[in-house]
Amino acid sequence: PAVEPTAPVEGETSQPTAVPQAVPPPAEVEVNPGKLTWMIGGLGNERFDFAFGVGGGNNYARIMQGFLVAVTRDAQLVPGVASQWSVSDGVKFHDGQPLTAEDVNFTFLHYFGPGAREVVTSGKVQSVAANTEKVEQTGPNTVSYTSIKPDSGFPELVSEASADWFGVFPKRPKVFDEVQEKEYDLNPVGLGPMRLTGHVPAASMQFERFADYYYQPANGFPEDRRVNFSTLDLFLVPEESTRVAAIQAREADIAPASLATRNQVEAGGGRMVFGPEGVYIALAFRSAWEPDIPFSKKEVRQALAYALNLKVFQDQLFGAEVFEPKGWAYATPSSIGYSPDLDPFPYDPDKARQLLADAGYPDGQGFGKLVINTWVSTAIPFLPESAQLAADMWKRELGLDVEVVVGDEAANKRTNATEGGFRGQTRWFDNEARRDGASITRSSFGTLDVGGRHHEDPELYKLVEETLGVMDPAMRQDAFNKLYKRLRDEQYQMGIGYLNIPWAVGPNIVTWEPFPLAFYPSALHTITLK
């Protein structure tokens, strides 16, 4: 409901005060009776609960999940299910039940409450749960979340802008119950623009339009984000050639592809559409604090960075429209804290060889085998090929013995989250670009006792904690920029660059404007069919 904005109490952090205003309901929009067919490269483990989900979940979960906080096209946080972070009227689940504060309270307890850290499998959830003091419903329409240490990124973490999908659940009798959780996966209920109507594991999902989706002018929102078509079929098709052939044959409407397929797509009457700044590529060093591991020395990590010619990645692998060698890991140009001096180290093989020699490994002698663990990405083309390209450069420029191991994404992430996982090895991975890197900074660089940590430097932990405690929006850019420059210098995680996601789009699609910072099916409300 519309309320008057209130000034923050001294010492409190100001929150957005824009509140949806009630307006007369608009005339019902004309909905195309047609079906949208979308092919994707991966479905992860097909769980509908982020607490237990792994890679690939964004591809389907965002179609059916709603978020407490919404996001504009320019990545600004605005009211969503919550206005002033309290429950708004007019919000229904797919089964017709109204959303209540009890549902939000259950959702927060399930993700972050007592016992969550020991039960959930998501490393991100474990990290946030470790910083949670309490979750409680404090009134008929209010839920309170209290963190142990200040966390300026929490609103964005649970928002549509997050790289994760913290959807809101209908409350269940128990916060943690494996039987109930499996029952939910069989019949998931969300708040999103479409509801799930069918699911064939490892094959497909079917969705239909949800006319009561909350984000519409009748509920006081500035635009109608209900989809303009009736149904959506989502198919798992790992092979790019099969996906592109389906686009050309008009058997599919949208699918991830590479620039190498552009002529084939256009020959079928389609086109390429790019999702701006959707994914970044990075290299992570595991157990880099253990002295017997060569890359425990910063000179080694920096040498590997200087030995990469990222121009070759751009010109000969991904294409200039897709790959940009900019940013440090998740601090890309649209991120809070970015500045151009965070971009990857320049290509300087002579300096790389000198740094490696200074570290005690001239021409790679005594280094041992460098193992790169990666996977076939569901979001971008050529992730294993880019890892192999880096391996070839390190062999040629530094004399290193490098092996690329291509495995399963879900298994890779599980191993990475365990204590000692991939010890003395590296991970070449893609991950979601984001406006606010607070949550991933905490889980990767600010939590001492998680398996996926990148370092054990007490001074750096302190800097991370100080940065996450900066709540004033006007000060966060400088605070995160300072931290990111330190992390770039340390090179515990090596930034390679970001990708504009290439989508093959068939001739049945008249319009589509995917959101920036989104590698998954996004902005479905902008899609119109012939």
Side-chain angles (χ1 to χ4, degrees):
V3 296
E4 290 297 323
T6 57
V9 177
E10 184 176 356
E12 291 185 346
T13 302
S14 176
Q15 299 286 7
T17 55
V19 178
Q21 303 295 317
V23 297
E28 179 64 27
V29 297
E30 182 177 350
V31 179
N32 190 307
K35 176 176 65 178
L36 175 68
T37 300
W38 203 308
M39 292 183 173
I40 54 174
L43 290 172
N45 63 359
E46 299 183 63
R47 296 295 301 266
F48 293 89
D49 180 343
F50 181 69
F52 307 105
V54 294
N58 271 294
N59 283 326
Y60 56 85
R62 287 176 177 266
I63 297 173
M64 59 163 294
Q65 295 285 12
F67 295 86
L68 287 171
V69 184
V71 65
T72 62
R73 180 163 293 279
D74 60 352
Q76 300 301 310
L77 300 187
V78 294
V81 170
S83 59
Q84 294 187 330
W85 319 140
S86 62
V87 179
S88 303
D89 283 344
V91 180
K92 296 180 181 179
F93 285 104
H94 292 156
D95 60 1
Q97 295 299 310
L99 171 74
T100 67
E102 286 84 358
D103 299 313
V104 176
N105 188 62
F106 170 85
T107 297
F108 275 19
L109 285 170
H110 178 72
Y111 285 137
F112 314 125
R117 194 177 182 193
E118 292 72 36
V119 174
V120 303
T121 56
S122 165
K124 177 66 67 61
V125 177
Q126 290 174 353
S127 176
V128 179
N131 190 45
T132 298
E133 180 175 304
K134 62 180 177 178
V135 175
E136 58 183 345
Q137 184 176 346
T138 54
N141 283 324
T142 56
V143 174
S144 171
Y145 169 84
T146 306
S147 61
I148 297 171
K149 299 176 182 178
D151 188 353
S152 59
F154 186 79
E156 181 140 348
L157 175 72
V158 297
S159 79
E160 188 180 9
S162 173
D164 308 304
W165 39 282
F166 287 98
V168 181
F169 300 115
K171 63 182 181 296
R172 299 193 286 264
K174 295 182 179 179
V175 176
F176 299 110
D177 184 274
E178 188 174 355
V179 173
Q180 294 174 17
E181 289 153 5
K182 289 182 177 179
E183 288 176 349
Y184 178 80
D185 278 337
L186 293 175
N187 185 28
V189 176
L191 297 166
M194 307 194 81
R195 68 183 187 93
L196 186 74
T197 59
H199 177 201
V200 180
S204 64
M205 296 182 187
Q206 290 76 45
F207 301 86
E208 72 175 15
R209 183 179 187 267
F210 183 47
D212 286 332
Y213 179 49
Y214 62 87
Y215 207 107
Q216 54 176 295
N219 293 328
F221 289 94
E223 65 176 332
D224 195 335
R225 290 191 177 180
R226 293 176 294 179
V227 299
N228 296 307
F229 48 89
S230 298
T231 59
L232 185 154
D233 284 354
L234 193 69
F235 288 101
L236 172 62
V237 182
E239 301 82 12
E240 180 186 56
S241 59
T242 305
R243 298 194 299 263
V244 173
I247 293 287
Q248 189 177 32
R250 305 193 179 195
E251 296 171 352
D253 297 311
I254 303 177
S258 65
L259 282 185
T261 67
R262 170 177 268 169
N263 290 340
Q264 186 179 351
V265 171
E266 292 178 348
R271 64 191 187 279
M272 302 297 292
V273 172
F274 298 93
E277 208 171 323
V279 166
Y280 68 91
I281 298 178
L283 176 84
F285 298 94
R286 293 308 319 271
S287 308
W289 57 87
E290 298 187 22
D292 62 318
I293 294 174
F295 49 70
S296 63
K297 299 178 180 180
K298 182 167 69 173
E299 294 88 350
V300 171
R301 303 192 298 269
Q302 290 185 342
L304 293 170
Y306 280 115
L308 291 183
N309 185 351
L310 298 181
K311 184 69 172 170
V312 175
F313 286 70
Q314 185 178 52
D315 294 343
Q316 299 182 25
L317 185 60
F318 293 109
E321 291 173 281
V322 174
F323 179 70
E324 288 281 358
K326 293 182 180 297
W328 168 81
Y330 51 84
T332 59
S334 295
S335 304
I336 295 170
Y338 171 79
S339 61
D341 51 2
L342 286 171
D343 290 347
F345 283 17
Y347 176 53
D348 190 338
D350 291 334
K351 187 170 185 177
R353 286 188 282 270
Q354 185 61 56
L355 283 167
L356 196 65
D358 292 345
Y361 305 104
D363 299 320
Q365 297 175 27
F367 192 95
K369 180 173 287 188
L370 175 61
V371 177
I372 306 174
N373 295 279
T374 189
W375 58 76
V376 177
S377 172
T378 62
I380 62 171
F382 306 140
L383 184 64
E385 290 84 353
S386 64
Q388 187 61 56
L389 183 57
D392 293 342
M393 291 179 180
W394 289 331
K395 290 176 184 178
R396 182 178 63 251
E397 303 292 0
L398 302 177
L400 296 177
D401 179 13
V402 189
E403 178 186 2
V404 175
V405 177
V406 180
D408 174 73
E409 178 181 5
N412 185 297
K413 291 181 176 179
R414 284 194 298 269
T415 301
N416 183 60
T418 60
E419 186 68 34
F422 294 129
R423 182 186 182 277
Q425 301 180 10
T426 67
R427 299 174 69 237
W428 185 277
F429 64 96
D430 66 317
N431 205 6
E432 306 88 349
R434 63 204 71 208
R435 174 181 173 272
D436 191 329
S439 63
I440 193 172
T441 298
R442 179 179 297 283
S443 61
S444 298
F445 297 97
T447 307
L448 279 165
D449 54 350
V450 297
R453 65 189 181 278
H454 285 65
H455 70 96
E456 291 190 348
D457 181 345
E459 189 273 331
L460 184 54
Y461 277 119
K462 181 180 179 181
L463 178 59
V464 170
E465 183 177 332
E466 291 172 351
T467 303
L468 294 175
V470 176
M471 308 301 288
D472 186 341
M475 300 175 63
R476 295 187 76 221
Q477 167 67 26
D478 288 342
F480 274 85
N481 183 253
K482 176 184 176 182
L483 173 63
Y484 291 156
K485 287 178 180 176
R486 169 68 185 277
L487 294 175
R488 176 185 182 270
D489 178 67
E490 292 290 348
Q491 287 288 306
Y492 290 119
Q493 193 172 116
M494 182 191 303
I496 308 300
Y498 73 84
L499 278 75
N500 303 309
I501 305 299
W503 296 96
V505 176
N508 191 43
I509 304 295
V510 179
T511 65
W512 178 39
E513 298 178 26
F515 278 145
L517 302 173
F519 73 91
Y520 43 81
S522 70
L524 270 62
H525 64 286
T526 67
I527 295 175
T528 56
L529 307 180
K530 285 186 178 178

